[in-house]
Amino acid sequence: MTLVLVVEDEPQMVRTLRINLKVRGYEVQAAPDGRTALDLAARRPPDVVILDLGLPDMDGTDVIRGLRGWLSVPIIVLSARHGSPDKVAALDAGADDYVTKPFGMDEFLARLRAAIRRSAPVEGGSAVVTTDAFTVDLAAKRVTREGADVRLTPTEWHLLELLVRHPGRLVSQRQLLREVWGPAYETETHYLRVYFAQLRRKLERDPSRPRHLITEPGMGYRFEP
């Protein structure tokens, strides 16, 4: 049974999430503040975390950073904060998705299922993908190049992971933007240009002539092992 840690200080929201998750077969733990959440996660690591940013004892982004120090499971932010800086800060701290309140339960549950699927090992293949320039360990969320770890931001990792899980297949610009930044960012293609330039500098032998992180102009990106 998938264990979901809900970090939320609004009792009604906790009750709504608990009911909807339990009826679909999830096990639920709830924490009303950040310190309780970190303690619960340390004692029994969850499979996925649902987190409100506006907690009574600390900011939600600090909880994300605390969890990301040792936990690699999906973190989905639920927040009434609609501003782009808050979303960027949460995603860069290590969140996998950002859902603004109020939200539709069906859409939220679909996002939850998608996050859990992305965190699972690659079906029918190895969790370790090796190229002539770098190696990606999907299970450990680790990238190495010439034997040394490559430090990626959470956003860089998310983009790389989406491509590596679909080797040889075109992943559209819209899908990448929606999965990483959310539906409101589906037209912000300059985000992709900036982040893929960063990834190529870190991973490709010749960033100006990439062999593995390929751009399909006007359409999307493709990973070639």
mmCIF file of all heavy atoms in Angstrom, residues 144-182:
data_model
loop_
_atom_site.group_PDB
_atom_site.id
_atom_site.type_symbol
_atom_site.label_atom_id
_atom_site.label_comp_id
_atom_site.label_asym_id
_atom_site.label_seq_id
_atom_site.Cartn_x
_atom_site.Cartn_y
_atom_site.Cartn_z
ATOM 1 N N THR A 144 26.278 10.519 -13.146
ATOM 2 C CA THR A 144 27.733 10.539 -13.060
ATOM 3 C C THR A 144 28.333 10.759 -14.444
ATOM 4 O O THR A 144 27.758 10.356 -15.458
ATOM 5 C CB THR A 144 28.292 9.230 -12.470
ATOM 6 O OG1 THR A 144 27.830 8.122 -13.251
ATOM 7 C CG2 THR A 144 27.842 9.054 -11.031
ATOM 8 N N ARG A 145 29.500 11.392 -14.447
ATOM 9 C CA ARG A 145 30.248 11.614 -15.688
ATOM 10 C C ARG A 145 31.723 11.365 -15.396
ATOM 11 O O ARG A 145 32.282 11.991 -14.491
ATOM 12 C CB ARG A 145 30.025 13.043 -16.193
ATOM 13 C CG ARG A 145 30.760 13.331 -17.497
ATOM 14 C CD ARG A 145 30.462 14.735 -17.989
ATOM 15 N NE ARG A 145 31.192 15.025 -19.199
ATOM 16 C CZ ARG A 145 31.172 16.188 -19.839
ATOM 17 N NH1 ARG A 145 30.413 17.179 -19.364
ATOM 18 N NH2 ARG A 145 31.875 16.368 -20.934
ATOM 19 N N GLU A 146 32.304 10.420 -16.121
ATOM 20 C CA GLU A 146 33.698 10.035 -15.917
ATOM 21 C C GLU A 146 33.970 9.698 -14.457
ATOM 22 O O GLU A 146 34.992 10.076 -13.879
ATOM 23 C CB GLU A 146 34.641 11.152 -16.401
ATOM 24 C CG GLU A 146 34.499 11.429 -17.898
ATOM 25 C CD GLU A 146 35.346 12.592 -18.362
ATOM 26 O OE1 GLU A 146 35.943 13.279 -17.505
ATOM 27 O OE2 GLU A 146 35.420 12.799 -19.593
ATOM 28 N N GLY A 147 33.002 8.982 -13.852
ATOM 29 C CA GLY A 147 33.166 8.508 -12.493
ATOM 30 C C GLY A 147 32.837 9.493 -11.396
ATOM 31 O O GLY A 147 32.829 9.136 -10.215
ATOM 32 N N ALA A 148 32.547 10.724 -11.748
ATOM 33 C CA ALA A 148 32.253 11.759 -10.743
ATOM 34 C C ALA A 148 30.778 12.132 -10.795
ATOM 35 O O ALA A 148 30.162 12.162 -11.867
ATOM 36 C CB ALA A 148 33.113 12.996 -10.981
ATOM 37 N N ASP A 149 30.204 12.416 -9.618
ATOM 38 C CA ASP A 149 28.808 12.845 -9.561
ATOM 39 C C ASP A 149 28.627 14.199 -10.228
ATOM 40 O O ASP A 149 29.466 15.094 -10.083
ATOM 41 C CB ASP A 149 28.348 12.962 -8.102
ATOM 42 C CG ASP A 149 28.102 11.605 -7.462
ATOM 43 O OD1 ASP A 149 27.940 10.623 -8.205
ATOM 44 O OD2 ASP A 149 28.076 11.529 -6.228
ATOM 45 N N VAL A 150 27.528 14.332 -10.967
ATOM 46 C CA VAL A 150 27.160 15.600 -11.582
ATOM 47 C C VAL A 150 26.010 16.195 -10.775
ATOM 48 O O VAL A 150 24.976 15.553 -10.593
ATOM 49 C CB VAL A 150 26.718 15.416 -13.052
ATOM 50 C CG1 VAL A 150 26.319 16.757 -13.662
ATOM 51 C CG2 VAL A 150 27.832 14.766 -13.862
ATOM 52 N N ARG A 151 26.199 17.408 -10.286
ATOM 53 C CA ARG A 151 25.162 18.047 -9.481
ATOM 54 C C ARG A 151 24.133 18.704 -10.402
ATOM 55 O O ARG A 151 24.468 19.629 -11.154
ATOM 56 C CB ARG A 151 25.771 19.086 -8.539
ATOM 57 C CG ARG A 151 26.651 18.475 -7.452
ATOM 58 C CD ARG A 151 27.168 19.542 -6.506
ATOM 59 N NE ARG A 151 26.081 20.198 -5.789
ATOM 60 C CZ ARG A 151 25.540 19.724 -4.676
ATOM 61 N NH1 ARG A 151 25.954 18.576 -4.161
ATOM 62 N NH2 ARG A 151 24.581 20.389 -4.064
ATOM 63 N N LEU A 152 22.892 18.223 -10.318
ATOM 64 C CA LEU A 152 21.790 18.799 -11.084
ATOM 65 C C LEU A 152 20.801 19.439 -10.126
ATOM 66 O O LEU A 152 20.585 18.943 -9.020
ATOM 67 C CB LEU A 152 21.069 17.723 -11.902
ATOM 68 C CG LEU A 152 21.871 16.960 -12.955
ATOM 69 C CD1 LEU A 152 20.959 15.992 -13.688
ATOM 70 C CD2 LEU A 152 22.544 17.899 -13.943
ATOM 71 N N THR A 153 20.197 20.530 -10.556
ATOM 72 C CA THR A 153 19.104 21.097 -9.781
ATOM 73 C C THR A 153 17.893 20.176 -9.920
ATOM 74 O O THR A 153 17.818 19.353 -10.858
ATOM 75 C CB THR A 153 18.722 22.495 -10.288
ATOM 76 O OG1 THR A 153 18.136 22.362 -11.600
ATOM 77 C CG2 THR A 153 19.932 23.417 -10.348
ATOM 78 N N PRO A 154 16.911 20.253 -9.007
ATOM 79 C CA PRO A 154 15.712 19.421 -9.143
ATOM 80 C C PRO A 154 15.019 19.598 -10.499
ATOM 81 O O PRO A 154 14.522 18.630 -11.074
ATOM 82 C CB PRO A 154 14.827 19.900 -7.993
ATOM 83 C CG PRO A 154 15.797 20.356 -6.948
ATOM 84 C CD PRO A 154 16.914 20.997 -7.725
ATOM 85 N N THR A 155 15.001 20.821 -11.018
ATOM 86 C CA THR A 155 14.361 21.051 -12.315
ATOM 87 C C THR A 155 15.155 20.388 -13.434
ATOM 88 O O THR A 155 14.576 19.764 -14.339
ATOM 89 C CB THR A 155 14.231 22.564 -12.585
ATOM 90 O OG1 THR A 155 13.437 23.148 -11.549
ATOM 91 C CG2 THR A 155 13.546 22.817 -13.928
ATOM 92 N N GLU A 156 16.483 20.493 -13.408
ATOM 93 C CA GLU A 156 17.314 19.829 -14.419
ATOM 94 C C GLU A 156 17.101 18.321 -14.365
ATOM 95 O O GLU A 156 16.976 17.663 -15.407
ATOM 96 C CB GLU A 156 18.786 20.177 -14.193
ATOM 97 C CG GLU A 156 19.136 21.611 -14.520
ATOM 98 C CD GLU A 156 20.529 21.994 -14.041
ATOM 99 O OE1 GLU A 156 21.139 21.228 -13.246
ATOM 100 O OE2 GLU A 156 21.014 23.066 -14.446
ATOM 101 N N TRP A 157 17.078 17.772 -13.146
ATOM 102 C CA TRP A 157 16.873 16.328 -13.014
ATOM 103 C C TRP A 157 15.516 15.919 -13.584
ATOM 104 O O TRP A 157 15.414 14.913 -14.295
ATOM 105 C CB TRP A 157 16.966 15.899 -11.553
ATOM 106 C CG TRP A 157 16.461 14.491 -11.379
ATOM 107 C CD1 TRP A 157 15.236 14.105 -10.940
ATOM 108 C CD2 TRP A 157 17.138 13.288 -11.740
ATOM 109 N NE1 TRP A 157 15.117 12.738 -10.978
ATOM 110 C CE2 TRP A 157 16.260 12.205 -11.467
ATOM 111 C CE3 TRP A 157 18.415 13.010 -12.260
ATOM 112 C CZ2 TRP A 157 16.625 10.876 -11.691
ATOM 113 C CZ3 TRP A 157 18.768 11.683 -12.487
ATOM 114 C CH2 TRP A 157 17.877 10.639 -12.210
ATOM 115 N N HIS A 158 14.482 16.670 -13.281
ATOM 116 C CA HIS A 158 13.134 16.331 -13.737
ATOM 117 C C HIS A 158 13.080 16.291 -15.266
ATOM 118 O O HIS A 158 12.513 15.360 -15.855
ATOM 119 C CB HIS A 158 12.149 17.357 -13.182
ATOM 120 C CG HIS A 158 10.735 16.885 -13.170
ATOM 121 N ND1 HIS A 158 9.732 17.523 -12.473
ATOM 122 C CD2 HIS A 158 10.126 15.844 -13.784
ATOM 123 C CE1 HIS A 158 8.593 16.898 -12.662
ATOM 124 N NE2 HIS A 158 8.802 15.879 -13.454
ATOM 125 N N LEU A 159 13.679 17.269 -15.919
ATOM 126 C CA LEU A 159 13.694 17.283 -17.382
ATOM 127 C C LEU A 159 14.475 16.090 -17.936
ATOM 128 O O LEU A 159 14.019 15.407 -18.860
ATOM 129 C CB LEU A 159 14.320 18.590 -17.885
ATOM 130 C CG LEU A 159 13.464 19.847 -17.751
ATOM 131 C CD1 LEU A 159 14.299 21.087 -18.019
ATOM 132 C CD2 LEU A 159 12.265 19.803 -18.701
ATOM 133 N N LEU A 160 15.648 15.846 -17.372
ATOM 134 C CA LEU A 160 16.460 14.724 -17.841
ATOM 135 C C LEU A 160 15.739 13.407 -17.636
ATOM 136 O O LEU A 160 15.705 12.547 -18.532
ATOM 137 C CB LEU A 160 17.801 14.716 -17.105
ATOM 138 C CG LEU A 160 18.758 13.571 -17.460
ATOM 139 C CD1 LEU A 160 19.199 13.684 -18.911
ATOM 140 C CD2 LEU A 160 19.960 13.579 -16.524
ATOM 141 N N GLU A 161 15.119 13.236 -16.486
ATOM 142 C CA GLU A 161 14.412 12.000 -16.175
ATOM 143 C C GLU A 161 13.274 11.742 -17.160
ATOM 144 O O GLU A 161 13.079 10.611 -17.626
ATOM 145 C CB GLU A 161 13.869 12.081 -14.754
ATOM 146 C CG GLU A 161 13.127 10.833 -14.294
ATOM 147 C CD GLU A 161 12.473 11.030 -12.942
ATOM 148 O OE1 GLU A 161 12.076 12.166 -12.619
ATOM 149 O OE2 GLU A 161 12.350 10.031 -12.216
ATOM 150 N N LEU A 162 12.527 12.786 -17.502
ATOM 151 C CA LEU A 162 11.415 12.624 -18.444
ATOM 152 C C LEU A 162 11.903 12.114 -19.795
ATOM 153 O O LEU A 162 11.244 11.288 -20.430
ATOM 154 C CB LEU A 162 10.679 13.953 -18.622
ATOM 155 C CG LEU A 162 9.766 14.370 -17.463
ATOM 156 C CD1 LEU A 162 9.330 15.816 -17.622
ATOM 157 C CD2 LEU A 162 8.550 13.460 -17.383
ATOM 158 N N LEU A 163 13.060 12.590 -20.241
ATOM 159 C CA LEU A 163 13.592 12.125 -21.521
ATOM 160 C C LEU A 163 14.163 10.719 -21.414
ATOM 161 O O LEU A 163 13.925 9.870 -22.280
ATOM 162 C CB LEU A 163 14.679 13.085 -22.021
ATOM 163 C CG LEU A 163 14.246 14.478 -22.463
ATOM 164 C CD1 LEU A 163 15.416 15.194 -23.136
ATOM 165 C CD2 LEU A 163 13.064 14.437 -23.413
ATOM 166 N N VAL A 164 14.929 10.479 -20.350
ATOM 167 C CA VAL A 164 15.601 9.184 -20.208
ATOM 168 C C VAL A 164 14.590 8.046 -20.076
ATOM 169 O O VAL A 164 14.844 6.928 -20.525
ATOM 170 C CB VAL A 164 16.568 9.214 -19.004
ATOM 171 C CG1 VAL A 164 17.084 7.826 -18.663
ATOM 172 C CG2 VAL A 164 17.737 10.151 -19.299
ATOM 173 N N ARG A 165 13.445 8.328 -19.482
ATOM 174 C CA ARG A 165 12.415 7.290 -19.348
ATOM 175 C C ARG A 165 11.738 6.963 -20.678
ATOM 176 O O ARG A 165 10.972 6.003 -20.762
ATOM 177 C CB ARG A 165 11.365 7.715 -18.322
ATOM 178 C CG ARG A 165 11.875 7.660 -16.879
ATOM 179 C CD ARG A 165 10.776 7.942 -15.873
ATOM 180 N NE ARG A 165 11.277 7.898 -14.512
ATOM 181 C CZ ARG A 165 11.431 6.783 -13.798
ATOM 182 N NH1 ARG A 165 11.119 5.624 -14.337
ATOM 183 N NH2 ARG A 165 11.895 6.821 -12.559
ATOM 184 N N HIS A 166 12.006 7.768 -21.712
ATOM 185 C CA HIS A 166 11.422 7.507 -23.032
ATOM 186 C C HIS A 166 12.524 7.565 -24.107
ATOM 187 O O HIS A 166 12.509 8.430 -24.985
ATOM 188 C CB HIS A 166 10.332 8.538 -23.350
ATOM 189 C CG HIS A 166 9.232 8.583 -22.345
ATOM 190 N ND1 HIS A 166 9.263 9.396 -21.234
ATOM 191 C CD2 HIS A 166 8.062 7.886 -22.262
ATOM 192 C CE1 HIS A 166 8.170 9.215 -20.531
ATOM 193 N NE2 HIS A 166 7.429 8.313 -21.122
ATOM 194 N N PRO A 167 13.516 6.677 -24.034
ATOM 195 C CA PRO A 167 14.655 6.747 -24.957
ATOM 196 C C PRO A 167 14.231 6.651 -26.419
ATOM 197 O O PRO A 167 13.392 5.825 -26.788
ATOM 198 C CB PRO A 167 15.521 5.545 -24.540
ATOM 199 C CG PRO A 167 14.586 4.622 -23.821
ATOM 200 C CD PRO A 167 13.588 5.500 -23.145
ATOM 201 N N GLY A 168 14.810 7.543 -27.229
ATOM 202 C CA GLY A 168 14.536 7.536 -28.656
ATOM 203 C C GLY A 168 13.217 8.159 -29.058
ATOM 204 O O GLY A 168 12.942 8.318 -30.251
ATOM 205 N N ARG A 169 12.381 8.541 -28.078
ATOM 206 C CA ARG A 169 11.066 9.090 -28.390
ATOM 207 C C ARG A 169 11.056 10.605 -28.228
ATOM 208 O O ARG A 169 11.683 11.149 -27.319
ATOM 209 C CB ARG A 169 10.012 8.483 -27.474
ATOM 210 C CG ARG A 169 9.672 7.037 -27.792
ATOM 211 C CD ARG A 169 8.718 6.463 -26.768
ATOM 212 N NE ARG A 169 7.570 7.327 -26.518
ATOM 213 C CZ ARG A 169 6.719 7.139 -25.522
ATOM 214 N NH1 ARG A 169 6.898 6.130 -24.680
ATOM 215 N NH2 ARG A 169 5.698 7.963 -25.353
ATOM 216 N N LEU A 170 10.340 11.264 -29.113
ATOM 217 C CA LEU A 170 10.163 12.707 -28.996
ATOM 218 C C LEU A 170 9.230 13.007 -27.829
ATOM 219 O O LEU A 170 8.131 12.450 -27.733
ATOM 220 C CB LEU A 170 9.557 13.261 -30.287
ATOM 221 C CG LEU A 170 9.162 14.747 -30.251
ATOM 222 C CD1 LEU A 170 10.396 15.630 -30.217
ATOM 223 C CD2 LEU A 170 8.284 15.096 -31.461
ATOM 224 N N VAL A 171 9.686 13.877 -26.931
ATOM 225 C CA VAL A 171 8.829 14.372 -25.846
ATOM 226 C C VAL A 171 8.538 15.832 -26.177
ATOM 227 O O VAL A 171 9.459 16.647 -26.320
ATOM 228 C CB VAL A 171 9.512 14.254 -24.477
ATOM 229 C CG1 VAL A 171 8.573 14.728 -23.376
ATOM 230 C CG2 VAL A 171 9.938 12.813 -24.217
ATOM 231 N N SER A 172 7.276 16.175 -26.328
ATOM 232 C CA SER A 172 6.903 17.496 -26.824
ATOM 233 C C SER A 172 7.249 18.603 -25.833
ATOM 234 O O SER A 172 7.343 18.373 -24.611
ATOM 235 C CB SER A 172 5.405 17.546 -27.137
ATOM 236 O OG SER A 172 4.648 17.521 -25.939
ATOM 237 N N GLN A 173 7.425 19.801 -26.370
ATOM 238 C CA GLN A 173 7.659 20.966 -25.515
ATOM 239 C C GLN A 173 6.528 21.128 -24.514
ATOM 240 O O GLN A 173 6.762 21.382 -23.323
ATOM 241 C CB GLN A 173 7.772 22.226 -26.384
ATOM 242 C CG GLN A 173 8.978 22.256 -27.290
ATOM 243 C CD GLN A 173 8.974 23.473 -28.198
ATOM 244 O OE1 GLN A 173 7.939 24.117 -28.390
ATOM 245 N NE2 GLN A 173 10.109 23.803 -28.771
ATOM 246 N N ARG A 174 5.303 20.976 -24.987
ATOM 247 C CA ARG A 174 4.145 21.172 -24.111
ATOM 248 C C ARG A 174 4.148 20.165 -22.967
ATOM 249 O O ARG A 174 3.874 20.521 -21.818
ATOM 250 C CB ARG A 174 2.857 21.059 -24.926
ATOM 251 C CG ARG A 174 1.592 21.182 -24.080
ATOM 252 C CD ARG A 174 0.356 21.294 -24.937
ATOM 253 N NE ARG A 174 0.332 22.548 -25.677
ATOM 254 C CZ ARG A 174 -0.681 22.927 -26.440
ATOM 255 N NH1 ARG A 174 -1.745 22.159 -26.572
ATOM 256 N NH2 ARG A 174 -0.632 24.075 -27.086
ATOM 257 N N GLN A 175 4.453 18.898 -23.268
ATOM 258 C CA GLN A 175 4.470 17.886 -22.220
ATOM 259 C C GLN A 175 5.539 18.191 -21.181
ATOM 260 O O GLN A 175 5.298 18.091 -19.969
ATOM 261 C CB GLN A 175 4.708 16.493 -22.805
ATOM 262 C CG GLN A 175 4.740 15.399 -21.741
ATOM 263 C CD GLN A 175 4.987 14.027 -22.325
ATOM 264 O OE1 GLN A 175 4.901 13.819 -23.537
ATOM 265 N NE2 GLN A 175 5.290 13.057 -21.468
ATOM 266 N N LEU A 176 6.734 18.566 -21.628
ATOM 267 C CA LEU A 176 7.813 18.877 -20.691
ATOM 268 C C LEU A 176 7.442 20.054 -19.793
ATOM 269 O O LEU A 176 7.640 20.007 -18.577
ATOM 270 C CB LEU A 176 9.096 19.188 -21.463
ATOM 271 C CG LEU A 176 9.781 17.999 -22.147
ATOM 272 C CD1 LEU A 176 10.839 18.491 -23.122
ATOM 273 C CD2 LEU A 176 10.391 17.062 -21.119
ATOM 274 N N LEU A 177 6.901 21.106 -20.393
ATOM 275 C CA LEU A 177 6.525 22.287 -19.604
ATOM 276 C C LEU A 177 5.410 21.965 -18.627
ATOM 277 O O LEU A 177 5.429 22.415 -17.474
ATOM 278 C CB LEU A 177 6.110 23.421 -20.546
ATOM 279 C CG LEU A 177 7.261 24.051 -21.351
ATOM 280 C CD1 LEU A 177 6.720 24.857 -22.519
ATOM 281 C CD2 LEU A 177 8.124 24.928 -20.449
ATOM 282 N N ARG A 178 4.442 21.192 -19.078
ATOM 283 C CA ARG A 178 3.322 20.839 -18.205
ATOM 284 C C ARG A 178 3.783 19.956 -17.047
ATOM 285 O O ARG A 178 3.391 20.163 -15.892
ATOM 286 C CB ARG A 178 2.240 20.110 -19.010
ATOM 287 C CG ARG A 178 0.991 19.775 -18.191
ATOM 288 C CD ARG A 178 -0.098 19.173 -19.061
ATOM 289 N NE ARG A 178 0.304 17.909 -19.658
ATOM 290 C CZ ARG A 178 0.498 17.722 -20.960
ATOM 291 N NH1 ARG A 178 0.318 18.714 -21.808
ATOM 292 N NH2 ARG A 178 0.857 16.543 -21.425
ATOM 293 N N GLU A 179 4.638 18.970 -17.336
ATOM 294 C CA GLU A 179 5.083 18.040 -16.300
ATOM 295 C C GLU A 179 5.978 18.720 -15.273
ATOM 296 O O GLU A 179 5.908 18.419 -14.086
ATOM 297 C CB GLU A 179 5.847 16.876 -16.951
ATOM 298 C CG GLU A 179 4.990 15.959 -17.785
ATOM 299 C CD GLU A 179 4.313 14.885 -16.961
ATOM 300 O OE1 GLU A 179 4.532 14.838 -15.744
ATOM 301 O OE2 GLU A 179 3.563 14.089 -17.544
ATOM 302 N N VAL A 180 6.842 19.633 -15.717
ATOM 303 C CA VAL A 180 7.847 20.215 -14.825
ATOM 304 C C VAL A 180 7.349 21.488 -14.152
ATOM 305 O O VAL A 180 7.540 21.682 -12.949
ATOM 306 C CB VAL A 180 9.151 20.480 -15.586
ATOM 307 C CG1 VAL A 180 10.187 21.163 -14.685
ATOM 308 C CG2 VAL A 180 9.721 19.170 -16.129
ATOM 309 N N TRP A 181 6.696 22.372 -14.934
ATOM 310 C CA TRP A 181 6.285 23.666 -14.372
ATOM 311 C C TRP A 181 4.789 23.787 -14.148
ATOM 312 O O TRP A 181 4.349 24.637 -13.390
ATOM 313 C CB TRP A 181 6.769 24.799 -15.268
ATOM 314 C CG TRP A 181 8.240 25.066 -15.155
ATOM 315 C CD1 TRP A 181 8.870 25.823 -14.199
ATOM 316 C CD2 TRP A 181 9.273 24.585 -16.024
ATOM 317 N NE1 TRP A 181 10.228 25.826 -14.427
ATOM 318 C CE2 TRP A 181 10.504 25.083 -15.538
ATOM 319 C CE3 TRP A 181 9.276 23.780 -17.170
ATOM 320 C CZ2 TRP A 181 11.722 24.802 -16.147
ATOM 321 C CZ3 TRP A 181 10.483 23.491 -17.775
ATOM 322 C CH2 TRP A 181 11.690 23.997 -17.273
ATOM 323 N N GLY A 182 3.996 22.970 -14.817
ATOM 324 C CA GLY A 182 2.551 23.038 -14.650
ATOM 325 C C GLY A 182 1.841 23.546 -15.885
ATOM 326 O O GLY A 182 2.460 24.156 -16.781
#
